Amino acid sequence: MKAEEIRTKTLDELEGQLGDLKKEQFNLRFQKATGQLENVARVRQVRRDIARVKTIAAQKRAEKK
């Protein structure tokens, strides 16, 4: 996911997307623990996407103030 795609979303959409990414991260960790994880690179992608969403959400909150 690109940062430009994330910047076009509203704060509410970002919070929803953050929840979805955290659920996916949980599921990936569960798959890794049980040995069912096929795409190990996805763990890194999700972690970075979470960081991007959090960063941009914080920037948007700062702009509002």
Side-chain angles (χ1 to χ4, degrees):
M1 180 180 317
K2 301 279 184 179
E4 290 181 17
E5 294 173 18
I6 299 170
R7 282 195 179 92
T8 61
K9 299 186 178 194
T10 66
L11 198 53
D12 291 333
E13 290 174 332
L14 290 177
E15 290 173 3
Q17 188 172 16
L18 183 61
D20 293 342
L21 287 168
K22 287 194 176 232
K23 286 178 189 174
E24 183 178 356
Q25 184 184 38
F26 175 79
N27 290 332
L28 289 171
R29 278 190 276 143
F30 220 87
Q31 288 175 8
K32 184 177 180 185
T34 59
Q36 297 176 350
L37 184 61
E38 295 178 10
N39 185 4
V40 294
R42 185 68 184 142
V43 175
R44 184 178 184 185
Q45 290 172 342
V46 169
R47 191 174 65 234
R48 289 182 176 195
D49 286 345
I50 289 171
R52 280 189 194 100
V53 170
K54 282 184 172 183
T55 301
I56 293 171
Q59 289 172 351
K60 287 186 180 248
R61 284 188 201 104
E63 288 176 2
K64 282 188 173 184
K65 291 184 180 180

